[in-house]
């Protein structure tokens, strides 16, 4: 005898299937009912905890079609159990379990400011310790040629420098051109500030706002996005929390940092 399905729901009334996405820590989603947007910090049986850019936590049930991921409806599911130790570092490199930090090389990587150094440490810190590379910040690059001369780079003490807003014709570009040592490499990204190197989607924003020339960039960004502008340091720490790996950063920064690490470690002691 022919068997018939008991499901008599017309096809046009059936919900469209949506993808299931593992609620991995750091994944940024939006709960459409409340408009709350945040990164996953915890996923337990039946619930997920999100943290917004100001550090506020909300707990939501893991319901079908319950969240938006980059504007698309998804069903969050509990991640499958895996090894406690990640197979890769935050930079995407293969992790070396039990590896000890190498004695620091004579070479260095200089970055412009504290925020730059903190971001590099968060994503590339494991790699840098294995390679014995120290990152220091300069608080600006106006005196970069004299700083490089004072360091005295050589074959066994190479110097790499990461510069913000390194665009042809800018002040930063002219300063970088003045560094001529073959044992020093100056590279940069096109962003006015290192904040911009964090992908907007990782922060739950549509994009980084344009700030009129002459205004303090960080303050202008905070005001445009409704973030507290009186304490940009605290805002930066909230941004940094949302960076879980290289996937949260723009390729224009990723390539330059990898280039500096390769340069400083190539042929070094």
């Amino acid at each position: 005898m022919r068997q018939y399905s008991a499901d008599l729901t017309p096809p046009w009334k059936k919900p469209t299937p949506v993808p299931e996405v593992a609620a991995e820590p750091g994944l940024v989603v939006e709960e459409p009912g409340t408009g709350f947007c945040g990164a996953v910090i915890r996923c337990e049986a039946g619930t997920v905890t999100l943290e917004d850019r100001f550090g506020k936590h909300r707990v939501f049930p893991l319901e079908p079609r319950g969240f938006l991921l980059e504007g698309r409806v998804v069903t969050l599911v509990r991640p499958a159990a895996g090894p406690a130790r990640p197979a890769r570092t935050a930079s995407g490199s293969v992790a070396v379990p039990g590896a000890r930090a190498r004695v620091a090389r004579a070479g260095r990587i200089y970055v412009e400011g504290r925020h730059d150094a903190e971001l590099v440490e968060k994503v590339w810190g494991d790699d840098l310790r294995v390679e014995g590379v120290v990152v220091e910040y300069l608080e600006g690059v106006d005196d970069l040629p004299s700083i490089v001369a004072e360091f005295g780079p050589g074959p066994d003490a190479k110097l790499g420098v990461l510069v913000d807003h390194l665009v042809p014709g800018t002040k930063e570009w002219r300063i970088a051109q003045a560094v001529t040592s073959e044992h020093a490499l100056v590279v940069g990204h096109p962003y006015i500030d290192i904040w911009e190197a964090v992908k907007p989607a990782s922060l739950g924003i549509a994009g980084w706002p344009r700030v009129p020339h002459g205004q303090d960039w960080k303050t202008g960004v905070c005001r445009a996005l409704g973030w507290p502008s009186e304490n940009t340091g605290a805002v930066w720490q909230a941004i940094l929390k949302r960076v879980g790996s290289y996937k949260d950063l723009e390729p224009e920064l990723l390539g330059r940092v990898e280039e500096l690490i390769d340069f400083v470690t190539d042929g070094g002691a």
Side-chain angles (χ1 to χ4, degrees):
M1 179 182 294
R2 181 178 296 177
Q3 300 295 319
Y4 293 91
S5 170
D7 185 1
L8 302 179
T9 304
W12 59 88
K13 289 189 176 182
K14 294 182 179 180
T16 304
V18 300
E20 292 188 347
V21 178
E24 300 285 356
L27 181 73
V28 178
V29 295
E30 178 183 349
E31 200 285 316
T34 60
F36 189 88
C37 183
V40 174
I41 62 169
R42 188 181 308 110
C43 186
E44 300 169 325
T47 66
V48 61
T49 303
L50 305 182
E51 180 184 59
D52 72 6
R53 62 178 180 269
F54 302 119
K56 183 179 180 181
H57 292 184
R58 291 282 297 273
V59 179
F60 297 100
L62 287 175
E63 296 180 341
R65 307 170 63 88
F67 297 87
L68 297 177
L69 175 62
E70 298 181 350
R72 296 182 304 147
V73 177
V74 298
T75 296
L76 289 188
V77 296
R78 194 174 184 182
R85 193 189 312 273
R88 292 187 177 273
T89 66
S91 72
S93 300
V94 176
V96 184
R100 295 183 178 181
R102 179 174 176 171
V103 175
R105 295 173 181 267
R108 291 288 187 274
I109 291 178
Y110 287 167
V111 296
E112 281 207 46
R114 181 186 296 273
H115 294 179
D116 305 68
E118 290 175 342
L119 185 61
V120 170
E121 161 61 28
K122 181 158 190 183
V123 176
W124 288 274
D126 291 340
D127 303 351
L128 293 168
R129 280 181 283 279
V130 169
E131 295 290 350
V133 177
V134 175
V135 175
E136 301 177 8
Y137 67 92
L138 301 173
E139 297 186 344
V141 294
D142 288 352
D143 299 321
L144 184 60
S146 60
I147 291 172
V148 173
E150 182 179 353
F151 179 85
D156 297 323
K158 295 181 179 180
L159 178 63
V161 184
L162 180 69
V163 178
D164 296 343
H165 199 221
L166 192 60
V167 178
T170 61
K171 177 190 74 172
E172 292 82 2
W173 178 267
R174 292 190 292 272
I175 291 173
Q177 294 298 299
V179 176
T180 57
S181 172
E182 64 177 310
H183 302 298
L185 175 64
V186 181
V187 300
H189 55 77
Y191 308 113
I192 294 174
D193 191 276
I194 197 68
W195 290 21
E196 275 193 296
V198 180
K199 290 181 177 178
S202 297
L203 304 176
I205 60 177
W208 289 103
R210 292 184 177 275
V211 177
H213 184 70
Q215 290 188 17
D216 178 74
W217 189 85
K218 291 186 177 74
T219 302
V221 163
C222 289
R223 288 173 178 168
L225 294 174
W227 297 347
S229 60
E230 66 279 0
N231 189 345
T232 56
V235 173
W236 167 245
Q237 291 306 315
I239 293 172
L240 195 60
K241 284 183 178 179
R242 303 293 281 275
V243 177
S245 74
Y246 71 98
K247 296 179 181 179
D248 297 305
L249 302 181
E250 299 288 359
E252 289 84 354
L253 176 67
L254 295 173
R256 302 295 73 74
V257 175
E258 297 286 352
E259 186 178 357
L260 289 177
I261 295 174
D262 289 344
F263 177 79
V264 172
T265 58
D266 181 33

